[in-house]
Amino acid sequence: SDLKGGIPILLRAIGYDIVFMLNLSAWLILPYILVYLLNRRLATILYITVSVILTLVYLGLVGYFVKALLPLGSDIFGYSITEIQHILNTSGGVTVMSVLPLVIFVALLIFMMIRSTYIRTRRPLVYTFTLVILISVFFSDLASPKAKDFKNDFAYYVAVNKLQFFTSKSYDYVFNDEGDADGLYDEYWYTEAGVPGMNGTSDDFTYSCTNQNFPFLHKEAARDVLGNFFTNNGVKPNIVLIIVESLGRGYSCEGALQGNFTPFLDSLSKHSLYWDNFISTAGRTFGVLPALTGSLPFGDKGFLDLGPNAPNHQSLIKLLKANGYSTSFYYGGNSNFDIMDVYLKKNGIDKITDEKSYGPGYSKLPSSESGFSWGYGDKELYRKSFEIINKENSNKPRLDIYLTVANHSPFLVANQDYYMQAFKRRMVEIHMNDEEKDNAQKYAKQYSCIMYTDDAIRQFIAAYKKRPDFKNTIFIITGDHRMPEIPIITQIDRFHVPFIIYSPMLKRTQRISSVSSHFDLTPSLLAFLNKNYGVQIPSQSAWIGSGLDTFRNFRSVHSYPLMPNKNELIDYIDKDYFIADKQVYKVSENLNLDPIDDEAVKSRILAKFADYKSKNQVATKSNRLIPDDVYNFKPTFMVNSK
């Protein structure tokens, strides 16, 4: 494929590599000359050592890109050594056969460098090359391509020099100041109005701070936008929240740009409330639980990373439990990954079921070459949950949260041959042409896992329909983020996920094209339960989201931050504008992005983004998210019972 301007990506990529290599040489040439004047042998050793290290790092970054289809940035600093090892194991780990070619390559590289030191080079050639290196510094911008100059983000990711991308992002991470929790704030973020901007109109999704000491605190003002869609039998409904690993909108449900490979979810969406322009708030799993169940700010590396030091906060889990709900979390892997279990326990979850809980009769996902498995697949996850729920036999309403693992590297599932064939049949069913089929075949393992995940949800819903409480259950299905291992089209594509609310209690269905996010679920769900079922909630909250927008046609009226990776709080959506790494885009129907150069718009959005970052630091580092009376809220029936 070609870049804008018709120049093939490969040629441009080579050009970026050459300019970056010259720039890098310019930074290294002065210390080399100084060492050379002191000790020629030491300079040779330094030259070989630095060259080998840089080559190894570069090859490692290229290898990461080949696996993830995303260049590695500063997000690596957001993970512990244990977590990095965990992630490496998913892609096959380090084996003798995987290391041997690299060892041979490095040995040849060192040999060639040593031999090169004995070759006499003419001085004019040396001087010319040195001059070219120094001049290249003035053209360093040519080594940093801009995403807007490419027809899609994947083309940009292919072209950019992976070492340049990593060093640039790492520099920004180390030297970028995100604000001081104890310092001064922008004057405009606190208003004396004390009343949220939500005034009951259909297009007002803003609020005003009510307490200068708690920058996110506002009067609870999310409207009940769901009640008119449901019948009400007076009994508190069960809430089943299914978070599907790497379920992106690009390959799910009607209109998917890369082919609809979730036939059941597509069918289910037509009997549901379905948002086709919905966005996750993070590009990795670390962001999904705090956003969906707490509408919480990010902190520095995601709210989960705050662990036991997280500020006092409210959540869907905590408030529903206080209102008599039984609360459970079901996961096929280790719930300590991303410190999810600490967050869940801090919110008082009644039961956590993870890979330690399964026991005999359950099979893990197939292992990678290194023997690693993420845990139990989606079908086993749902089967285990039924076993537990049936044993409990409780009359309490339930909040059951599921997080799946199958759509994850190394992309191995049980009975994979069957789902490979299902993937091939699906390409025919959705009328892919030969070129589209050839492209999709490159990601056959990924698509087969998506077909497995879709089939698992089909079986889960079918089994649930046999339960007596099915008639009183609301199912919410979404992806935690989009899968990066299938090429990402635009900067916002990695956040674009399906969002489905399905229930036999629905009296009408609707396809909704307005933009909402994971941040908006908890405010809207609590407003719905409060108005229709008497679920009691505090009069103030600190939700980042302001509620689901149920306007049928496309519009974008929300403003909130998005975090592609840990350590990379660089994206922000402001109504119908989106800023990604300081490039502004106009958002249009189907979440299409058009780059614009409007400094006034850019300045306004960056100011709002800086305002959020300032509040984020204050709230998460100084325990100033909500005051004690909101944190210790109890429904009146609990207070009166004591």
Side-chain angles (χ1 to χ4, degrees), residues 16 25 162 230 288 352 401 436 483 519 567 616:
Y16 297 137
S25 299
K162 309 307 179 287
F230 286 85
V288 69
I352 296 176
I401 303 170
E436 290 170 335
M483 184 188 295
F519 280 137
N567 298 328
N616 177 56

Side-chain angles (χ1 to χ4, degrees), residues 351-411:
K351 182 183 290 293
I352 296 176
T353 299
D354 68 358
E355 65 179 359
K356 300 184 294 295
S357 312
Y358 282 71
Y362 292 90
S363 300
K364 285 188 172 183
L365 291 166
S367 300
S368 66
E369 293 178 2
S370 65
F372 174 83
S373 169
W374 272 102
Y376 294 87
D378 303 4
K379 293 185 179 183
E380 300 288 73
L381 169 72
Y382 300 137
R383 185 162 70 94
K384 182 65 178 178
S385 71
F386 282 133
E387 177 189 319
I388 293 171
I389 292 169
N390 291 338
K391 285 181 180 179
E392 287 178 350
N393 194 26
S394 172
N395 292 323
K396 287 184 173 183
R398 294 194 322 275
L399 168 65
D400 295 323
I401 303 170
Y402 295 83
L403 178 58
T404 72
V405 297
N407 286 339
H408 206 295
S409 176
F411 300 107

Side-chain angles (χ1 to χ4, degrees), residues 146-293:
K146 304 294 188 294
K148 68 176 183 177
D149 295 329
F150 296 78
K151 70 176 185 179
N152 59 54
D153 277 11
F154 182 63
Y156 163 69
Y157 291 145
V158 170
V160 69
N161 180 279
K162 309 307 179 287
L163 182 56
Q164 186 275 335
F165 186 91
F166 176 75
T167 53
S168 174
K169 293 290 185 180
S170 299
Y171 178 87
D172 288 343
Y173 169 69
V174 173
F175 295 103
N176 184 32
D177 182 9
E178 297 290 356
D180 183 356
D182 299 314
L184 299 174
Y185 325 121
D186 291 335
E187 293 180 0
Y188 72 89
W189 73 251
Y190 175 70
T191 70
E192 295 290 346
V195 179
M198 302 261 311
N199 57 17
T201 62
S202 62
D203 58 355
D204 194 346
F205 283 79
T206 61
Y207 55 73
S208 298
C209 178
T210 57
N211 187 325
Q212 188 173 10
N213 293 316
F214 297 89
F216 287 122
L217 190 68
H218 57 274
K219 287 186 178 180
E220 181 52 69
R223 289 167 290 134
D224 172 26
V225 297
L226 300 176
N228 289 333
F229 293 99
F230 286 85
T231 58
N232 185 347
N233 60 10
V235 179
K236 292 175 182 175
N238 297 327
I239 306 296
V240 175
L241 176 55
I242 301 175
I243 306 168
V244 182
E245 170 67 42
S246 297
L247 181 64
R249 180 68 178 86
Y251 36 81
S252 178
C253 295
E254 184 180 345
L257 292 176
Q258 289 158 296
N260 175 5
F261 290 95
T262 56
F264 175 73
L265 284 181
D266 184 36
S267 172
L268 191 70
S269 70
K270 294 174 174 59
H271 302 278
S272 308
L273 302 179
Y274 168 60
W275 282 258
D276 56 6
N277 288 314
F278 205 86
I279 54 178
S280 67
T281 60
R284 297 289 185 184
T285 308
F286 72 88
V288 69
L289 280 178
L292 270 175
T293 67

Side-chain angles (χ1 to χ4, degrees), residues 420-596:
M420 280 287 191
Q421 294 305 313
F423 155 65
K424 292 177 182 178
R425 290 194 300 271
R426 186 63 179 167
M427 287 193 292
V428 176
E429 291 169 0
I430 60 178
H431 308 294
M432 277 188 160
N433 59 39
D434 290 342
E435 182 180 354
E436 290 170 335
K437 288 179 183 177
D438 289 342
N439 186 60
Q441 286 280 7
K442 299 173 185 176
Y443 315 103
K445 286 179 67 175
Q446 287 87 337
Y447 283 124
S448 68
C449 291
I450 293 166
M451 299 291 293
Y452 162 84
T453 288
D454 184 67
D455 191 40
I457 297 174
R458 178 187 62 80
Q459 292 184 9
F460 175 73
I461 297 295
Y464 220 112
K465 285 183 177 180
K466 299 175 182 178
R467 297 181 53 82
D469 57 349
F470 170 72
K471 63 181 182 297
N472 197 50
T473 301
I474 297 173
F475 300 87
I476 301 167
I477 305 171
T478 189
D480 59 348
H481 56 81
R482 189 236 204 255
M483 184 188 295
E485 287 84 357
I486 295 174
I488 289 173
I489 305 302
T490 69
Q491 291 282 6
I492 207 168
D493 188 32
R494 71 182 306 167
F495 304 106
H496 195 181
V497 295
F499 190 80
I500 297 170
I501 298 180
Y502 166 73
S503 176
M505 301 163 60
L506 281 172
K507 58 186 179 184
R508 62 188 176 99
T509 63
Q510 188 162 294
R511 179 169 178 166
I512 299 165
S513 293
S514 54
V515 178
S516 294
S517 83
H518 285 161
F519 280 137
D520 298 309
L521 174 63
T522 284
S524 282
L525 194 55
L526 287 174
F528 163 70
L529 295 172
N530 170 252
K531 183 175 180 180
N532 298 281
Y533 298 96
V535 167
Q536 297 181 37
I537 59 178
S539 61
Q540 295 187 97
S541 65
W543 314 131
I544 300 301
S546 46
L548 298 167
D549 187 1
T550 54
F551 194 69
R552 283 186 296 177
N553 297 329
F554 175 80
R555 70 174 184 179
S556 183
V557 294
H558 291 290
S559 298
Y560 23 58
L562 306 174
M563 198 170 188
N565 288 297
K566 291 185 178 182
N567 298 328
E568 290 190 329
L569 184 54
I570 56 176
D571 295 352
Y572 192 85
I573 188 165
D574 183 35
K575 299 180 181 177
D576 54 354
Y577 291 99
F578 175 68
I579 190 164
D581 205 8
K582 299 183 180 179
Q583 171 62 49
V584 180
Y585 301 87
K586 181 75 172 178
V587 183
S588 57
E589 202 159 355
N590 300 319
L591 292 186
N592 290 324
L593 297 182
D594 295 307
I596 63 170

Side-chain angles (χ1 to χ4, degrees), residues 267-335:
S267 172
L268 191 70
S269 70
K270 294 174 174 59
H271 302 278
S272 308
L273 302 179
Y274 168 60
W275 282 258
D276 56 6
N277 288 314
F278 205 86
I279 54 178
S280 67
T281 60
R284 297 289 185 184
T285 308
F286 72 88
V288 69
L289 280 178
L292 270 175
T293 67
S295 196
L296 291 160
F298 287 116
D300 287 334
K301 301 177 182 178
F303 195 87
L304 292 181
D305 190 73
L306 296 167
N309 298 318
N312 293 339
H313 58 277
Q314 281 289 4
S315 71
L316 184 67
I317 300 167
K318 192 166 181 281
L319 288 171
L320 289 192
K321 180 177 179 179
N323 279 274
Y325 273 71
S326 169
T327 57
S328 299
F329 176 71
Y330 299 98
Y331 183 52
N334 182 355
S335 62

